Amino acid sequence: MMRAAVISYAGFAGVFLSSVAVSRLLGVEGKGIFSLFITTVNGLMIAATLGLPQGHLYHSSKNQEWLRHFMANARHLSLLTGGVVALAYFLGGNALGFAQVTSLGPVGLVAGLVTVPLGVLQMYQRQYLLAMHRYEFAKAAGTLSLTLPLIGYLALYVSSHASVNSFLVVYVAAQLVSFALFSIPAHQVGPTQARFSFELARRSLTFGARQFASDIALYLL
């Protein structure tokens, strides 16, 4: 647990350094657009979870048999809920001409459509590693997703390709790499995944609704 805590603090440092790098390299206007994207997708990811990842962790901790359906459910539910929320917000907002959406540009729209379901899937992945009592892996997955983009931002600056669009591409690529890397230990430490379980999803939704409400309230605050 102490090692997991140290890894978490490293993630906080990564967020801080990334924020400094974005401010320095993109300037005021670029930083504003990029921050709008990050804040928006984080909110949409929270909305798209419906508290289900936490519900899966709770029920899998009580009954180990549910672990066989954990990531199978994660893949389907993240694509369904994350995809629907992302499509509704980005495509709907763009069609209606919402400035918060149109200001992101085409690259921002595509990045948002990819990042939201991927981010929800990453939440499931971290909860699954917690359910398997691999706390260091769970915290390391979160830390990597926060710090890996920083390396890409610095690489763009060195190569003189620092722009809002290039930062968006690097951010999405970093999340894909982070998820792929931690899919390896998640596969190794867990049981063979069975098919999608509607019963686990139903139970998780009932439990997760309370976590969902608190997450939304904290985000809005």
Side-chain angles (χ1 to χ4, degrees):
M1 292 299 293
M2 288 300 298
R3 288 196 298 270
V6 170
I7 294 172
S8 293
Y9 281 116
F12 299 150
V15 171
F16 173 74
L17 293 175
S18 293
S19 179
V20 172
V22 170
S23 299
R24 292 287 186 178
L25 302 179
L26 293 183
V28 176
E29 183 177 357
K31 171 67 161 58
I33 295 174
F34 189 77
S35 296
L36 172 64
F37 172 81
I38 297 297
T39 304
T40 299
V41 295
N42 283 339
L44 294 176
M45 283 187 286
I46 293 172
T49 63
L50 302 177
L52 286 167
Q54 293 83 0
H56 277 62
L57 171 61
Y58 173 74
H59 287 291
S60 296
S61 299
K62 291 183 63 178
N63 183 353
Q64 297 290 302
E65 287 298 315
W66 290 125
L67 287 171
R68 298 176 57 250
H69 303 279
F70 200 117
M71 290 307 296
N73 276 27
R75 288 189 291 271
H76 290 82
L77 291 172
S78 60
L79 183 61
L80 174 63
T81 61
V84 168
V85 168
L87 285 169
Y89 182 84
F90 287 108
L91 295 188
N94 188 62
L96 295 173
F98 290 162
Q100 294 89 339
V101 178
T102 58
S103 62
L104 296 175
V107 175
L109 295 184
V110 175
L113 292 173
V114 174
T115 302
V116 174
L118 175 61
V120 176
L121 185 56
Q122 287 176 298
M123 292 183 186
Y124 278 103
Q125 185 184 63
R126 292 193 290 270
Q127 296 296 328
Y128 179 68
L129 290 169
L130 288 174
M132 297 303 302
H133 308 292
R134 303 308 297 264
Y135 307 114
E136 298 97 330
F137 279 138
K139 294 301 181 182
T143 296
L144 185 64
S145 69
L146 295 172
T147 56
L148 189 58
L150 175 60
I151 300 174
Y153 303 156
L154 296 177
L156 289 174
Y157 173 70
V158 171
S159 62
S160 300
H161 288 88
S163 67
V164 174
N165 285 343
S166 62
F167 270 47
L168 290 173
V169 172
V170 163
Y171 180 81
V172 175
Q175 303 314 306
L176 287 167
V177 170
S178 177
F179 173 77
L181 287 176
F182 281 92
S183 294
I184 299 173
H187 176 74
Q188 292 175 340
V189 302
T192 302
Q193 292 296 294
R195 64 180 185 277
F196 182 88
S197 171
F198 286 98
E199 179 62 17
L200 177 58
R202 183 190 67 78
R203 295 189 183 197
S204 297
L205 183 61
T206 302
F207 174 86
R210 288 164 285 183
Q211 177 72 38
F212 176 71
S214 66
D215 286 344
I216 291 294
L218 181 60
Y219 172 78
L220 292 175
L221 178 63

